[in-house]
Amino acid sequence: MEYFLLVALFILNIFFVFEIRCYLNRSKKAVELIDKYWNDKKNPQLIDEIFEFVINENRLSKIVKKYNADKEDFAALYKKLLIWGDFRKYNRYIPITSFFYASALDYLLSHKDDEAKSLTQKMMNYFHI
């Protein structure tokens, strides 16, 4: 019984470390993009970098495939979020950070035809801004 519990604890620890690593990578990339494009928010390369990261991240790519989203969807959502959410609070910037969290991305893609203000308010509530 003790052997089983030790193995289970070991597996949980590995899972925990893996999930924390993924979370930190997403957070690091979001902050990197915010710093890089803070003075050049209309640069189309930003959307390319966001989309490339999301497609290569396991959990986020499943959401993109679920909604058959493409770069144009990301660009449209970014423009909507930029209208009302063009401010930075610590390492959070709504138009960029929203694409790096699974539930936020799922909401954005499922409500991509909503008004800019309602999408931005939802993301502000999600990030406690």
Side-chain angles (χ1 to χ4, degrees):
M1 183 67 175
E2 288 181 25
Y3 178 73
F4 175 74
L5 290 175
L6 286 175
V7 169
L9 181 62
F10 181 72
I11 291 170
L12 284 173
N13 281 334
I14 290 174
F15 179 74
F16 175 77
V17 168
F18 177 75
E19 288 296 319
I20 290 295
R21 190 179 130 261
C22 290
Y23 172 79
L24 290 175
N25 284 340
R26 284 194 312 259
S27 180
K28 178 183 170 186
K29 184 64 174 181
V31 171
E32 176 186 315
L33 290 176
I34 292 168
D35 290 339
K36 183 176 179 180
Y37 292 103
W38 180 250
N39 294 322
D40 192 15
K41 297 172 187 166
K42 306 257 184 202
N43 191 336
Q45 185 66 28
L46 171 61
I47 301 301
D48 294 337
E49 287 190 46
I50 292 172
F51 190 74
E52 183 70 28
F53 182 84
V54 168
I55 289 299
N56 291 325
E57 209 279 329
N58 188 29
R59 183 174 293 156
L60 299 177
S61 67
K62 291 177 185 175
I63 296 169
V64 171
K65 288 177 186 173
K66 175 181 172 183
Y67 293 104
N68 295 319
D70 55 8
K71 285 183 187 179
E72 289 77 25
D73 292 332
F74 276 57
L77 287 168
Y78 176 77
K79 287 177 185 175
K80 284 183 179 184
L81 293 172
L82 194 60
I83 294 169
W84 291 94
D86 190 15
F87 60 91
R88 183 175 182 174
K89 183 176 180 184
Y90 306 115
N91 285 332
R92 294 199 172 134
Y93 178 60
I94 297 295
I96 294 176
T97 311
S98 300
F99 294 102
F100 289 89
Y101 293 87
S103 58
L105 181 62
D106 186 54
Y107 181 83
L108 286 175
L109 293 176
S110 65
H111 294 88
K112 61 185 170 188
D113 296 327
D114 288 2
E115 293 180 11
K117 186 174 182 178
S118 66
L119 283 176
T120 306
Q121 284 178 332
K122 182 68 174 183
M123 292 299 106
M124 288 172 64
N125 289 337
Y126 180 82
F127 292 111
H128 304 290
I129 295 176

